[in-house]
Structure formats: C-alpha cells, structure tokens
Coordinates of all heavy atoms in Angstrom, one line a residue:
M21 N -122.6 -9.7 55.1 CA -121.8 -10.8 54.7 C -120.9 -10.5 53.5 O -121.4 -10.0 52.5 CB -122.8 -12.0 54.3 CG -123.3 -12.8 55.4 SD -121.9 -13.8 56.2 CE -121.8 -15.1 55.0
P22 N -119.7 -10.7 53.8 CA -118.8 -10.5 52.6 C -119.0 -11.5 51.5 O -119.4 -12.7 51.8 CB -117.4 -10.6 53.2 CG -117.6 -11.4 54.4 CD -118.9 -11.2 54.9
V23 N -118.8 -11.1 50.2 CA -118.9 -12.1 49.1 C -118.0 -13.2 49.4 O -116.8 -13.0 49.6 CB -118.8 -11.5 47.8 CG1 -119.0 -12.4 46.7 CG2 -119.8 -10.3 47.7
Q24 N -118.4 -14.5 49.2 CA -117.5 -15.6 49.2 C -116.8 -15.7 47.9 O -117.3 -16.2 46.9 CB -118.2 -16.9 49.6 CG -117.3 -18.1 49.6 CD -116.2 -17.9 50.6 OE1 -115.1 -17.7 50.2 NE2 -116.5 -18.0 51.9
F25 N -115.5 -15.3 47.7 CA -114.7 -15.3 46.5 C -114.1 -16.7 46.2 O -113.6 -16.8 45.1 CB -113.7 -14.2 46.5 CG -114.3 -12.9 46.1 CD1 -114.5 -11.9 47.1 CD2 -114.6 -12.6 44.8 CE1 -115.0 -10.6 46.7 CE2 -115.1 -11.4 44.4 CZ -115.3 -10.4 45.3
D26 N -113.9 -17.5 47.2 CA -112.9 -18.6 47.0 C -113.2 -19.6 45.9 O -112.4 -20.1 45.3 CB -112.9 -19.4 48.3 CG -112.0 -18.8 49.3 OD1 -111.5 -17.7 49.1 OD2 -111.7 -19.4 50.4
D27 N -114.5 -19.7 45.6 CA -115.0 -20.6 44.5 C -115.1 -19.9 43.1 O -115.5 -20.5 42.2 CB -116.2 -21.4 44.9 CG -115.9 -22.2 46.1 OD1 -114.8 -22.8 46.2 OD2 -116.8 -22.4 46.9
V28 N -114.9 -18.5 43.1 CA -115.0 -17.8 41.9 C -113.9 -18.2 40.9 O -112.7 -18.2 41.2 CB -115.0 -16.3 42.1 CG1 -115.0 -15.6 40.9 CG2 -116.1 -15.9 43.0
P29 N -114.3 -18.7 39.7 CA -113.2 -19.0 38.7 C -112.5 -17.8 38.3 O -113.2 -16.7 38.2 CB -114.0 -19.7 37.6 CG -115.4 -19.4 37.8 CD -115.6 -18.9 39.2
I30 N -111.2 -17.9 38.0 CA -110.5 -16.7 37.5 C -110.1 -17.0 36.1 O -109.9 -18.1 35.7 CB -109.3 -16.4 38.3 CG1 -108.3 -17.6 38.6 CG2 -109.6 -15.9 39.7 CD1 -107.0 -17.4 39.3
G31 N -110.0 -15.9 35.3 CA -109.7 -16.1 33.9 C -108.2 -16.5 33.7 O -107.4 -16.3 34.6
D32 N -107.9 -16.9 32.6 CA -106.5 -17.4 32.3 C -105.6 -16.1 32.1 O -104.5 -16.1 32.4 CB -106.5 -18.3 31.0 CG -107.0 -19.7 31.3 OD1 -106.8 -20.1 32.4 OD2 -107.7 -20.2 30.4
A33 N -106.2 -15.1 31.4 CA -105.3 -14.0 30.9 C -105.2 -12.9 31.9 O -104.2 -12.2 31.9 CB -105.9 -13.6 29.6
Y34 N -106.2 -12.6 32.7 CA -106.2 -11.4 33.5 C -107.1 -11.6 34.7 O -107.9 -12.5 34.7 CB -106.6 -10.2 32.7 CG -108.1 -10.3 32.3 CD1 -109.1 -9.6 33.1 CD2 -108.6 -11.0 31.3 CE1 -110.4 -9.7 32.9 CE2 -109.9 -11.1 31.0 CZ -110.8 -10.4 31.8 OH -112.2 -10.4 31.5
L35 N -106.8 -10.8 35.7 CA -107.6 -10.8 36.9 C -108.5 -9.6 36.9 O -108.0 -8.5 36.4 CB -106.7 -10.7 38.2 CG -105.9 -12.0 38.5 CD1 -104.8 -11.6 39.5 CD2 -106.8 -13.0 38.9
T36 N -109.6 -9.6 37.4 CA -110.5 -8.5 37.5 C -110.1 -7.7 38.7 O -109.4 -8.2 39.6 CB -112.0 -8.9 37.8 OG1 -112.1 -9.7 39.0 CG2 -112.5 -9.8 36.6
H37 N -110.5 -6.4 38.6 CA -110.2 -5.5 39.7 C -110.7 -6.1 41.0 O -110.0 -5.9 42.0 CB -110.8 -4.2 39.4 CG -110.4 -3.0 40.3 ND1 -109.1 -2.7 40.4 CD2 -111.0 -2.3 41.2 CE1 -109.0 -1.7 41.2 NE2 -110.2 -1.5 41.8
E38 N -111.9 -6.7 40.9 CA -112.5 -7.1 42.2 C -111.6 -8.4 42.7 O -111.5 -8.4 43.9 CB -113.8 -7.6 41.9 CG -114.9 -6.6 41.7 CD -114.8 -5.9 40.3 OE1 -114.2 -6.4 39.5 OE2 -115.4 -4.8 40.2
A39 N -111.1 -9.2 41.8 CA -110.3 -10.3 42.2 C -109.1 -9.9 42.9 O -108.7 -10.4 43.9 CB -110.0 -11.2 41.0
V40 N -108.5 -8.8 42.4 CA -107.2 -8.3 42.9 C -107.5 -7.8 44.3 O -106.7 -8.1 45.2 CB -106.6 -7.2 42.0 CG1 -105.5 -6.4 42.6 CG2 -106.1 -7.9 40.7
R41 N -108.6 -7.0 44.4 CA -108.9 -6.4 45.7 C -109.3 -7.5 46.7 O -108.9 -7.3 47.9 CB -110.0 -5.4 45.6 CG -109.6 -4.1 45.0 CD -110.4 -2.9 45.2 NE -111.5 -3.2 46.1 CZ -112.7 -2.4 46.1 NH1 -112.7 -1.4 45.2 NH2 -113.6 -2.7 46.9
A42 N -109.9 -8.5 46.3 CA -110.3 -9.6 47.2 C -109.1 -10.3 47.8 O -108.9 -10.5 49.0 CB -111.2 -10.6 46.5
V43 N -108.1 -10.6 46.9 CA -106.9 -11.3 47.3 C -106.0 -10.4 48.2 O -105.6 -10.8 49.3 CB -106.1 -11.8 46.1 CG1 -104.7 -12.4 46.5 CG2 -106.9 -12.8 45.3
L44 N -105.8 -9.2 47.8 CA -105.0 -8.3 48.6 C -105.7 -8.0 49.9 O -105.0 -8.0 50.9 CB -104.8 -7.0 47.8 CG -103.7 -7.0 46.6 CD1 -103.7 -5.7 45.9 CD2 -102.4 -7.5 47.2
G45 N -107.0 -7.8 49.9 CA -107.7 -7.6 51.1 C -107.6 -8.8 52.2 O -107.3 -8.6 53.3
R46 N -107.7 -10.0 51.6 CA -107.5 -11.3 52.4 C -106.2 -11.3 53.0 O -106.0 -11.7 54.1 CB -107.8 -12.5 51.5 CG -107.9 -13.8 52.2 CD -108.3 -14.8 51.3 NE -107.3 -15.1 50.3 CZ -107.5 -15.6 49.1 NH1 -108.7 -16.0 48.8 NH2 -106.6 -15.8 48.2
Q47 N -105.2 -10.8 52.3 CA -103.8 -10.9 52.9 C -103.4 -9.6 53.5 O -102.2 -9.4 53.8 CB -102.8 -11.1 51.6 CG -103.1 -12.5 51.0 CD -102.2 -12.8 49.8 OE1 -102.4 -13.7 49.1 NE2 -101.1 -12.0 49.8
D48 N -104.3 -8.7 53.6 CA -104.0 -7.4 54.3 C -102.9 -6.6 53.6 O -102.1 -6.1 54.3 CB -103.6 -7.7 55.8 CG -103.9 -6.5 56.8 OD1 -104.6 -5.7 56.3 OD2 -103.2 -6.5 57.8
N49 N -102.9 -6.7 52.3 CA -102.0 -6.1 51.5 C -100.5 -6.5 51.7 O -99.6 -5.6 51.6 CB -102.0 -4.6 51.5 CG -103.3 -4.1 50.8 OD1 -103.5 -4.3 49.7 ND2 -104.1 -3.3 51.5
R50 N -100.3 -7.7 52.2 CA -99.0 -8.2 52.4 C -98.7 -9.4 51.6 O -99.6 -10.2 51.2 CB -98.8 -8.6 53.9 CG -98.7 -7.2 54.8 CD -98.6 -7.5 56.2 NE -98.7 -6.3 56.9 CZ -97.6 -5.5 57.1 NH1 -96.3 -5.9 56.6 NH2 -97.7 -4.4 57.8
C51 N -97.4 -9.7 51.3 CA -97.0 -10.8 50.6 C -97.3 -12.1 51.3 O -97.2 -12.3 52.5 CB -95.5 -10.8 50.4 SG -94.8 -12.2 49.6
A52 N -97.9 -13.1 50.6 CA -98.2 -14.4 51.1 C -97.1 -15.2 51.5 O -97.2 -16.2 52.3 CB -99.2 -15.2 50.1
G53 N -95.9 -14.8 51.0 CA -94.7 -15.6 51.2 C -94.0 -15.1 52.5 O -93.6 -15.8 53.4
C54 N -93.6 -13.8 52.4 CA -92.8 -13.3 53.5 C -93.4 -12.1 54.3 O -92.8 -11.7 55.3 CB -91.5 -12.7 52.8 SG -91.7 -11.3 51.8
G55 N -94.6 -11.7 54.0 CA -95.3 -10.8 54.8 C -94.9 -9.3 54.6 O -95.3 -8.4 55.2
A56 N -94.1 -9.1 53.5 CA -93.7 -7.7 53.2 C -94.9 -7.0 52.5 O -95.8 -7.6 51.9 CB -92.6 -7.8 52.1
P57 N -95.0 -5.7 52.9 CA -96.1 -4.9 52.3 C -96.0 -4.9 50.8 O -95.0 -4.8 50.2 CB -95.9 -3.5 52.9 CG -94.8 -3.7 53.9 CD -94.0 -4.9 53.7
L58 N -97.2 -5.0 50.2 CA -97.2 -5.1 48.7 C -97.7 -3.7 48.1 O -98.5 -3.0 48.8 CB -98.2 -6.1 48.2 CG -97.7 -7.6 48.5 CD1 -98.9 -8.5 48.2 CD2 -96.4 -7.9 47.7
D59 N -97.1 -3.3 47.0 CA -97.7 -2.2 46.4 C -98.2 -2.5 45.0 O -97.8 -3.6 44.5 CB -96.8 -1.0 46.3 CG -95.5 -1.3 45.6 OD1 -95.5 -1.5 44.4 OD2 -94.4 -1.4 46.3
A60 N -98.9 -1.7 44.3 CA -99.6 -2.0 43.0 C -98.6 -2.4 42.0 O -98.9 -3.3 41.1 CB -100.5 -0.9 42.6
V61 N -97.5 -1.8 42.0 CA -96.6 -2.0 40.7 C -95.7 -3.3 40.9 O -95.2 -3.8 39.9 CB -95.6 -0.8 40.5 CG1 -96.4 0.3 39.9 CG2 -94.9 -0.4 41.7
S62 N -95.5 -3.8 42.1 CA -94.6 -4.9 42.3 C -95.3 -6.0 42.9 O -94.8 -6.8 43.8 CB -93.4 -4.5 43.1 OG -93.8 -4.0 44.3
T63 N -96.6 -6.3 42.5 CA -97.3 -7.4 43.2 C -97.5 -8.5 42.0 O -97.9 -8.1 40.9 CB -98.6 -6.9 43.7 OG1 -98.3 -5.9 44.7 CG2 -99.4 -8.2 44.3
Y64 N -97.2 -9.7 42.4 CA -97.4 -10.8 41.4 C -98.5 -11.7 42.0 O -98.5 -11.9 43.2 CB -96.2 -11.7 41.3 CG -95.1 -10.9 40.5 CD1 -94.2 -10.0 41.2 CD2 -95.0 -11.0 39.1 CE1 -93.3 -9.3 40.4 CE2 -94.0 -10.4 38.4 CZ -93.2 -9.5 39.1 OH -92.2 -8.8 38.4
F65 N -99.5 -12.2 41.1 CA -100.5 -13.0 41.5 C -100.3 -14.4 41.0 O -100.0 -14.6 39.8 CB -101.8 -12.6 41.0 CG -102.3 -11.3 41.7 CD1 -101.9 -10.0 41.3 CD2 -103.0 -11.4 42.9 CE1 -102.3 -8.9 41.9 CE2 -103.4 -10.2 43.6 CZ -103.0 -9.1 43.1
D66 N -100.2 -15.4 41.8 CA -99.8 -16.7 41.5 C -100.8 -17.7 42.1 O -101.4 -17.4 43.2 CB -98.4 -17.1 42.0 CG -97.3 -16.4 41.2 OD1 -97.4 -16.5 40.0 OD2 -96.4 -15.9 41.8
L67 N -100.9 -18.9 41.5 CA -101.7 -19.9 42.0 C -100.9 -20.6 43.1 O -99.8 -21.1 42.8 CB -102.2 -20.9 40.9 CG -103.2 -20.3 39.9 CD1 -103.5 -21.3 38.7 CD2 -104.6 -20.0 40.6
R68 N -101.5 -20.7 44.2 CA -100.9 -21.4 45.3 C -100.5 -22.9 44.9 O -99.4 -23.3 45.1 CB -101.9 -21.6 46.5 CG -101.5 -21.0 47.7 CD -102.7 -21.3 48.7 NE -103.6 -20.2 48.7 CZ -103.5 -19.2 49.6 NH1 -102.4 -19.1 50.4 NH2 -104.3 -18.2 49.6
R69 N -101.4 -23.6 44.3 CA -101.3 -24.9 43.9 C -101.5 -24.8 42.4 O -102.5 -24.6 41.9 CB -102.3 -25.8 44.5 CG -102.0 -27.3 44.3 CD -103.0 -28.1 45.2 NE -103.1 -29.4 44.7 CZ -102.2 -30.4 45.0 NH1 -101.2 -30.1 45.6 NH2 -102.4 -31.6 44.4
P70 N -100.4 -25.0 41.6 CA -100.5 -24.9 40.1 C -101.6 -25.7 39.5 O -101.8 -26.9 40.0 CB -99.1 -25.2 39.6 CG -98.2 -25.3 40.8 CD -99.1 -25.4 42.0
V71 N -102.2 -25.4 38.5 CA -103.2 -26.1 37.7 C -102.6 -27.5 37.3 O -103.2 -28.5 37.3 CB -103.7 -25.3 36.5 CG1 -104.6 -26.2 35.7 CG2 -104.5 -24.2 37.0
I72 N -101.3 -27.4 36.8 CA -100.6 -28.6 36.4 C -100.5 -29.7 37.5 O -100.3 -30.9 37.2 CB -99.4 -28.4 35.8 CG1 -98.4 -27.7 36.7 CG2 -99.4 -27.7 34.4 CD1 -96.9 -27.8 36.3
C73 N -100.6 -29.3 38.7 CA -100.5 -30.1 39.9 C -101.9 -30.4 40.4 O -102.0 -30.9 41.6 CB -99.6 -29.6 40.9 SG -97.9 -29.3 40.3
G74 N -102.9 -30.1 39.7 CA -104.3 -30.4 40.1 C -104.9 -29.2 40.9 O -106.0 -29.4 41.6
G75 N -104.3 -28.1 41.0 CA -105.0 -27.0 41.7 C -106.1 -26.4 41.0 O -106.1 -26.4 39.7
P76 N -107.1 -25.9 41.7 CA -108.2 -25.3 41.0 C -107.9 -23.9 40.5 O -107.1 -23.2 41.1 CB -109.3 -25.3 42.1 CG -108.6 -25.2 43.4 CD -107.2 -25.8 43.1
H77 N -108.6 -23.5 39.4 CA -108.4 -22.2 38.9 C -109.4 -21.2 39.5 O -110.3 -20.8 38.8 CB -108.5 -22.3 37.3 CG -107.6 -21.3 36.7 ND1 -106.3 -21.4 36.7 CD2 -107.8 -20.2 35.9 CE1 -105.6 -20.4 36.0 NE2 -106.7 -19.6 35.5
T78 N -109.2 -21.1 40.8 CA -110.2 -20.2 41.5 C -109.4 -19.2 42.4 O -108.3 -19.4 42.7 CB -111.1 -21.0 42.4 OG1 -110.3 -21.8 43.4 CG2 -112.0 -22.1 41.6
L79 N -110.3 -18.2 42.8 CA -109.7 -17.2 43.7 C -109.1 -17.7 45.0 O -108.2 -17.2 45.5 CB -110.7 -16.1 44.0 CG -110.8 -14.9 43.0 CD1 -111.8 -14.0 43.6 CD2 -109.5 -14.3 42.8
G80 N -109.8 -18.8 45.4 CA -109.2 -19.4 46.7 C -107.9 -20.0 46.6 O -107.2 -20.1 47.6
N81 N -107.5 -20.2 45.4 CA -106.2 -20.8 45.1 C -105.2 -19.7 44.7 O -104.0 -20.1 44.4 CB -106.2 -21.9 44.0 CG -105.1 -22.8 43.9 OD1 -104.4 -23.0 44.9 ND2 -104.8 -23.2 42.7
L82 N -105.6 -18.6 44.8 CA -104.7 -17.5 44.3 C -104.1 -16.7 45.4 O -104.6 -16.7 46.6 CB -105.6 -16.5 43.5 CG -104.9 -15.5 42.5 CD1 -104.3 -16.2 41.3 CD2 -105.8 -14.4 42.1
M83 N -102.8 -16.3 45.2 CA -102.1 -15.5 46.3 C -101.4 -14.4 45.7 O -101.0 -14.4 44.5 CB -101.3 -16.4 47.1 CG -100.1 -17.0 46.3 SD -99.2 -18.1 47.3 CE -98.0 -18.8 46.1
A84 N -101.1 -13.3 46.4 CA -100.3 -12.3 46.0 C -98.9 -12.3 46.6 O -98.7 -12.6 47.7 CB -101.0 -10.9 46.4
L85 N -98.0 -12.1 45.8 CA -96.6 -12.3 46.2 C -95.7 -11.1 45.8 O -96.0 -10.4 44.8 CB -95.9 -13.5 45.5 CG -96.5 -14.9 45.9 CD1 -95.8 -15.9 45.0 CD2 -96.2 -15.2 47.4
C86 N -94.7 -10.8 46.6 CA -93.7 -9.8 46.2 C -92.8 -10.3 45.2 O -92.8 -11.6 44.9 CB -92.9 -9.4 47.4 SG -91.8 -10.6 48.0
P87 N -92.0 -9.5 44.4 CA -91.2 -10.1 43.3 C -90.3 -11.3 43.8 O -90.1 -12.2 43.0 CB -90.4 -8.8 42.9 CG -91.3 -7.7 43.2 CD -91.9 -8.1 44.5
S88 N -89.6 -11.1 44.9 CA -88.7 -12.2 45.3 C -89.5 -13.5 45.5 O -89.0 -14.6 45.2 CB -87.8 -11.8 46.3 OG -88.4 -11.7 47.6
C89 N -90.5 -13.4 46.3 CA -91.3 -14.7 46.6 C -91.9 -15.3 45.3 O -92.1 -16.5 45.2 CB -92.4 -14.4 47.6 SG -91.8 -14.2 49.3
H90 N -92.3 -14.4 44.4 CA -92.8 -14.8 43.1 C -91.7 -15.7 42.4 O -92.0 -16.7 41.8 CB -93.2 -13.6 42.1 CG -93.4 -14.0 40.7 ND1 -94.6 -14.6 40.4 CD2 -92.8 -13.7 39.6 CE1 -94.5 -14.8 39.0 NE2 -93.5 -14.3 38.6
Q91 N -90.4 -15.1 42.3 CA -89.3 -15.8 41.7 C -89.2 -17.3 42.4 O -89.1 -18.2 41.7 CB -88.0 -15.1 41.9 CG -88.0 -13.9 41.1 CD -87.5 -14.1 39.8 OE1 -86.7 -15.0 39.6 NE2 -88.0 -13.3 38.8
N92 N -89.2 -17.3 43.7 CA -89.0 -18.5 44.4 C -90.2 -19.5 44.1 O -89.9 -20.7 43.8 CB -89.0 -18.4 45.9 CG -87.7 -17.6 46.4 OD1 -86.8 -17.6 45.7 ND2 -87.9 -17.0 47.6
H93 N -91.4 -18.9 44.1 CA -92.5 -19.8 43.7 C -92.4 -20.4 42.3 O -92.6 -21.6 42.1 CB -93.8 -18.8 43.8 CG -95.0 -19.7 43.6 ND1 -95.4 -20.6 44.6 CD2 -96.0 -19.6 42.7 CE1 -96.6 -21.1 44.2 NE2 -97.0 -20.5 43.1
M94 N -92.1 -19.6 41.3 CA -91.9 -20.0 40.0 C -90.8 -21.1 39.9 O -91.0 -22.1 39.2 CB -91.5 -18.9 39.0 CG -92.7 -17.9 38.8 SD -94.0 -18.8 37.8 CE -95.4 -18.5 38.9
H95 N -89.8 -20.9 40.6 CA -88.6 -21.9 40.6 C -89.2 -23.2 41.1 O -88.9 -24.2 40.6 CB -87.5 -21.3 41.5 CG -86.3 -22.1 41.4 ND1 -85.4 -22.1 40.3 CD2 -85.8 -23.0 42.3 CE1 -84.4 -22.9 40.6 NE2 -84.6 -23.5 41.7
R96 N -89.9 -23.1 42.3 CA -90.4 -24.4 42.9 C -91.4 -25.1 41.9 O -91.3 -26.3 41.8 CB -91.1 -24.0 44.2 CG -91.0 -25.1 45.3 CD -91.2 -24.5 46.7 NE -92.4 -23.6 46.8 CZ -92.3 -22.5 47.4 NH1 -91.2 -22.0 47.9 NH2 -93.4 -21.7 47.5
I97 N -92.3 -24.3 41.3 CA -93.2 -25.0 40.3 C -92.4 -25.6 39.2 O -92.8 -26.8 38.8 CB -94.1 -23.9 39.8 CG1 -95.1 -23.6 40.9 CG2 -94.9 -24.4 38.6 CD1 -96.0 -22.4 40.6
R98 N -91.4 -25.0 38.7 CA -90.6 -25.6 37.6 C -90.0 -26.9 38.1 O -90.0 -27.9 37.3 CB -89.5 -24.7 37.2 CG -90.0 -23.9 36.0 CD -88.8 -23.2 35.3 NE -88.1 -22.2 36.1 CZ -88.5 -20.9 36.1 NH1 -89.5 -20.5 35.4 NH2 -87.9 -20.1 36.9
E99 N -89.6 -27.0 39.3 CA -89.0 -28.3 39.9 C -90.1 -29.3 40.0 O -89.9 -30.5 39.7 CB -88.3 -27.9 41.2 CG -87.0 -27.3 41.1 CD -86.4 -26.9 42.5 OE1 -87.1 -27.1 43.5 OE2 -85.3 -26.6 42.5
I100 N -91.3 -28.9 40.5 CA -92.4 -29.8 40.6 C -92.7 -30.4 39.3 O -92.9 -31.6 39.1 CB -93.6 -29.2 41.3 CG1 -93.3 -28.8 42.7 CG2 -94.9 -30.0 41.2 CD1 -94.3 -27.9 43.4
F101 N -92.9 -29.5 38.3 CA -93.2 -29.8 37.0 C -92.2 -30.8 36.4 O -92.5 -31.8 35.7 CB -93.3 -28.6 36.1 CG -94.0 -28.8 34.7 CD1 -95.2 -29.5 34.7 CD2 -93.4 -28.4 33.6 CE1 -95.8 -29.8 33.5 CE2 -94.0 -28.6 32.3 CZ -95.2 -29.2 32.3
A102 N -90.9 -30.6 36.6 CA -89.9 -31.4 36.2 C -90.0 -32.9 36.8 O -89.9 -33.9 36.1 CB -88.4 -30.9 36.5
D103 N -90.3 -32.9 38.1 CA -90.5 -34.2 38.7 C -91.7 -35.0 38.1 O -91.7 -36.2 38.0 CB -90.9 -34.0 40.2 CG -89.7 -33.7 41.0 OD1 -88.5 -33.9 40.5 OD2 -89.7 -33.3 42.2
H104 N -92.7 -34.3 37.7 CA -93.9 -34.9 37.1 C -93.6 -35.6 35.8 O -94.3 -36.5 35.5 CB -95.0 -33.8 36.9 CG -95.9 -33.8 38.1 ND1 -97.3 -34.0 38.1 CD2 -95.7 -33.3 39.4 CE1 -97.8 -33.8 39.2 NE2 -96.8 -33.3 40.1
R105 N -92.7 -35.0 35.1 CA -92.4 -35.6 33.7 C -91.4 -36.7 33.7 O -91.2 -37.3 32.8 CB -91.9 -34.4 32.9 CG -93.0 -33.4 32.7 CD -92.7 -32.6 31.5 NE -91.4 -31.8 31.6 CZ -91.0 -30.9 30.7 NH1 -91.7 -30.7 29.6 NH2 -89.8 -30.4 30.9
R106 N -90.8 -36.9 35.0 CA -89.7 -37.9 35.0 C -90.3 -39.2 34.9 O -91.5 -39.6 35.4 CB -88.9 -37.7 36.3 CG -87.5 -38.0 36.1 CD -86.8 -37.6 37.3 NE -86.3 -36.1 37.4 CZ -86.1 -35.5 38.5 NH1 -86.3 -35.9 39.6 NH2 -85.7 -34.3 38.4
Ligands
ZN1 ZN1 -92.5 -11.9 49.7

C-alpha cells in the first residue's frame, strides 16, 4: 500500500524531499497545467486552491507546475484575491 499523502500537512516555508517526490510521482513528472515534462531546476510547487480561498495546506492540494503555468497560476490567484477584497 502506498502511503496516503493527501492529508499530510505541508510546511509554509519548504517542502520535504518526500513531499516533492510524492507530488511529482503522482503527476508522472509532468506539469499539472500543460503536461510538459518537469525537471528539478524549473519546477514550481503551488497550491491548487490557495489558502486565502479556503484551500487546505496539505499535499493533496499541492501541484507541480512548469514556469509558464506557474506564472499563469499566480496571475489567476492575484485576480481571485483582488475579487475577494472588492
Ligand atoms: Zn505547464
């Protein structure tokens, strides 16, 4: 039985090696946004659903993105955040 990582809380400041491997393994080392292959130096880890929008701070809510999908994701979150404050 593989370890169930989805409910494991993740730290604010850093990801453990195990967390990184779990997320990349789940995504088959591909970007969650566009499916491009990921490599260690250009992989970004983002919360699928941001904490400010009620997302849990757990591995199940984490995804690995390539640099361009990371940019898009951050952009979208800023827009969501702006809407929330209106
Ligand atoms: Zn991508």
Side-chain angles (χ1 to χ4, degrees):
M21 272 292 282
V23 179
Q24 181 55 259
F25 274 105
D26 279 5
D27 295 327
V28 173
I30 51 174
D32 285 327
Y34 68 97
L35 290 170
T36 63
H37 190 62
E38 286 75 16
V40 167
R41 281 197 11 199
V43 173
L44 286 176
R46 187 175 64 202
Q47 295 180 198
D48 208 16
N49 288 303
R50 287 176 184 278
C51 172
C54 67
L58 295 170
D59 62 65
V61 286
S62 59
T63 301
Y64 290 84
F65 290 89
D66 287 311
L67 290 172
R68 235 182 270 272
R69 192 172 159 77
V71 172
I72 56 161
C73 301
H77 214 66
T78 59
L79 270 186
N81 193 31
L82 201 68
M83 62 181 172
L85 294 175
C86 72
S88 73
C89 287
H90 169 70
Q91 288 280 324
N92 291 341
H93 186 66
M94 286 294 125
H95 189 72
R96 214 156 45 227
I97 287 173
R98 269 196 290 272
E99 284 176 352
I100 293 168
F101 193 49
D103 281 349
H104 270 242
R105 295 198 300 187
R106 219 171 271 155

